[in-house]
Structures are given as C-alpha cells and as structure tokens.
Amino acid sequence: MDLRIFTEPQQGAGYDTLLTVAKATEDLGFDAFFRSDHYLRMGSADGLPGPTDAWITLAGLARETKRIRLGTLMTAGTFRLPGVLAIQVAQVDQMSGGRVELGLGAGWFEEEHKAYGIPFPKEKFARLEEQLAIVTGLWSTEVGHTFDYHGTYYQLSDSPALPKPAQAKVPVLIGGHGATRTPRLAAQYADEFNIPFASIEDSERQFTRVKAAAEAAGRRADDLVYSNALVVCVGKDDAEVARRAAAIGREVEELKANGLAGSPAEVVEKIGKYEATGSSRIYLQLLDLDDLDQLELISSRVLPQLNGA
C-alpha cells in the first residue's frame, strides 16, 4: 500500500509552506506529494495568502526534491488548453527527472471561474475527453513526426508534438464517482483510477465498474492502479485526535466515518478495509499544513505496519 500526501493549498498556503510539506513528505518516506488545482478557497477558510498555481508549484518542487512523485488531483481541464498543458507537464517532468503524474479532470467549481474570469463551459466532460486524447497523443507522437487533431472543441494541425516528457509514459490519473462515462474514460486513457472521499462500499462498487470497462476496452482490469483520496486525522491518543480535528474544523466521529481518523492502529485497520476493495494507494488529504508532527506520526506508526516492518 502506497501512502501519498495530498494538499489543498487554496485553503491557505503559499509556496514556502508547500515546499516544507513536500520536503517532509520525502524525508519521512512517503511515496508522493500531490496537490489540488484550485484558485479559490472553499468553506470558511480565509485562503490567505492567496492561490498558487498547481504546475508552477510542481515545477519548483521538481527542483527541490529528489525522490518523491509529484502530481495533481486533479488538474482542471477548464484552466488550460490541452496543447499548453502537454508542454507544461512535459517540462516539469524533465525538471523532476521523470517523477511527474498528471491527474486530469473536467473542472467543477464554478465560483473560482467567475472570480478569475475563466470560461466555464457546459460541455466539460466532452471537452475532457478531447483533452485527454490530445495530451496523450502529443506525448506519444514520435520525434520527427507531427500530430493533428480535429475535434468538436479543439483543433491541432502540424504540431511538432514537443517537448517530450522525461518518462516514456507519464502516468495519467482519472477519477470520480460517475457510473458510466467516467469508467469508460478511465478504461481508455488512465494508468490509475482514483475515487475521492468515498466509503469502502462505494469504492468497491466504482472499482468494479472501472474494471469491467477496462476489460470491455480490451485491457486487463489490473492494468490500472486503483486508489482512494481520504482526509486524514491521526493522533497518539483521543485528545490528540480531537485537537487535530478541531484545528481543521471537523468532528472526530465524522472524520472516522468519512476518512482515516483515530489512533495509528485504527487507521491501519481501516486502510486494510480499503485495500480489500482493490485499492493499492491512498492519498492522505492533509488539511493542516503546519502540523508536520502528524506526518511524523503517520511515518513512524502507520507506514511500518503497512509495509510489514
């Protein structure tokens, strides 16, 4: 079971904070550092000092880290033209020495589009499908050849399809709860399928759909990695769990029901239940980015139990 750290910087975190968390992620033995792709805070958070761009952040972290994988859950397809996104991700992959992964979604948060003058089209999912075809098509085009695409929303002609990523294949993540179109899209383009903030039962149901779609598309179901994203709140004792829950404005029982919360033993037990659904990777949504002690606790008391140490 891989454990990855997943951050939500739009809630209030500058680059220096993200760099500190990313370095701790690497030093403490986690597999990867991922971040959301949002420009507006949600809920009651103040969002200060203001938003950071996902791919500019990851470019900086690519030069400041050495081992961990870096990526997005999920890049909003509404924020970037697919040809530009292919260039950005390829460049960051080169800067990292081949450690980048692209989570790409349709985009959903209308308020942030209004706040920053970003178009919010109705046909987001159909656009996402074309974006995936273009990004993966540009990367897979042989050097010296050109790439053309003539879709409903995007047209590319005689693209040199450069630059290329450092990796022969940048892993592509697709996720969500949709019962039909999402599994089909994952079967066609994804290396990993992620379901965010889902119960054990809903995870198993959605993984089953994706596996069936993969087989219908001529792939083996286990060609894909299956993963979860879950809020985390771990403490050495009940008092520490309660303190951490209060710090992120949540209730302990709600966190235990909907995420990974409680003692290290409780969290390991619940991770095991997700693993039984076929999940082999969990993104720990860390909401208090100043609480590096929680990362240390997970590293010392949860990771060893998952890895058989």
Side-chain angles (χ1 to χ4, degrees):
M1 174 65 72
D2 292 334
L3 291 189
R4 297 181 161 192
I5 301 305
F6 169 41
T7 61
E8 302 272 8
Q10 76 278 356
Q11 299 301 91
Y15 177 75
D16 288 344
T17 297
L18 295 171
L19 176 60
T20 298
V21 175
K23 286 187 170 181
T25 296
E26 184 159 87
D27 293 343
L28 293 170
F30 295 98
D31 181 61
F33 175 94
F34 272 58
R35 58 157 292 163
S36 61
D37 189 14
H38 286 295
Y39 291 136
L40 192 67
R41 59 104 176 129
M42 301 169 194
S44 60
D46 59 24
L48 296 174
T52 52
D53 181 83
W55 286 101
I56 292 176
T57 297
L58 295 176
L61 299 181
R63 306 303 291 175
E64 297 282 356
T65 58
K66 295 181 173 64
R67 177 187 61 80
I68 50 173
R69 308 288 295 176
L70 301 166
T72 50
L73 282 183
M74 299 283 186
T75 288
T78 48
F79 288 177
R80 297 167 179 86
L81 296 170
V84 175
L85 180 61
I87 292 170
Q88 291 172 321
V89 177
Q91 184 178 3
V92 178
D93 195 51
Q94 292 174 359
M95 293 168 71
S96 72
R99 293 183 285 122
V100 159
E101 304 184 11
L102 171 63
L104 185 57
W108 62 270
F109 189 22
E110 186 173 5
E111 285 82 355
E112 67 188 337
H113 294 74
K114 291 178 178 177
Y116 287 96
I118 303 167
F120 190 68
K122 291 182 179 179
E123 325 83 357
K124 292 182 291 298
F125 198 91
R127 287 175 180 269
L128 173 62
E129 189 161 4
E130 291 195 9
Q131 291 163 346
L132 286 162
I134 292 166
V135 170
T136 58
L138 287 167
W139 289 339
S140 61
T141 298
E142 293 183 10
V143 175
H145 293 252
T146 59
F147 177 80
D148 294 88
Y149 186 86
H150 302 289
T152 302
Y153 307 104
Y154 304 101
Q155 294 79 39
L156 287 73
S157 298
D158 296 322
S159 173
L162 296 172
K164 299 302 185 193
Q167 298 174 86
K169 176 81 171 67
V170 172
V172 172
L173 289 73
I174 294 174
H177 296 258
T180 305
R181 294 190 299 174
T182 297
R184 177 182 58 79
L185 211 56
Q188 186 171 0
Y189 292 107
D191 300 283
E192 177 177 338
F193 180 79
N194 177 269
I195 185 165
F197 315 118
S199 67
I200 294 163
E201 295 76 17
D202 287 345
S203 298
E204 185 169 28
R205 187 177 302 113
Q206 187 70 333
F207 292 158
T208 298
R209 292 180 183 130
V210 174
K211 290 174 183 178
E215 291 173 350
R219 299 178 66 181
R220 297 190 317 173
D222 60 4
D223 281 349
L224 284 79
V225 171
Y226 299 88
S227 64
N228 291 87
L230 294 161
V231 64
V232 67
C233 181
V234 186
K236 293 189 295 290
D237 51 38
D238 290 346
E240 191 167 82
V241 175
R243 176 176 62 78
R244 289 197 163 116
I248 60 174
R250 304 279 285 269
E251 297 293 332
V252 172
E253 291 310 310
E254 178 269 322
L255 287 167
K256 287 187 176 184
N258 298 313
L260 297 173
S263 68
E266 287 178 287
V267 168
V268 168
E269 180 182 9
K270 191 162 186 183
I271 288 174
K273 293 178 181 178
Y274 278 99
E275 187 173 21
T277 71
S279 182
S280 62
R281 181 173 291 160
I282 292 183
Y283 295 80
L284 303 175
Q285 185 195 40
L286 185 71
L287 294 178
D288 184 354
L289 299 186
D290 295 319
D291 187 6
L292 298 184
D293 288 343
Q294 181 173 197
L295 287 184
E296 169 65 38
L297 178 65
I298 297 167
S299 173
S300 62
R301 300 278 297 277
V302 175
L303 269 178
Q305 296 188 64
L306 298 177
N307 297 329

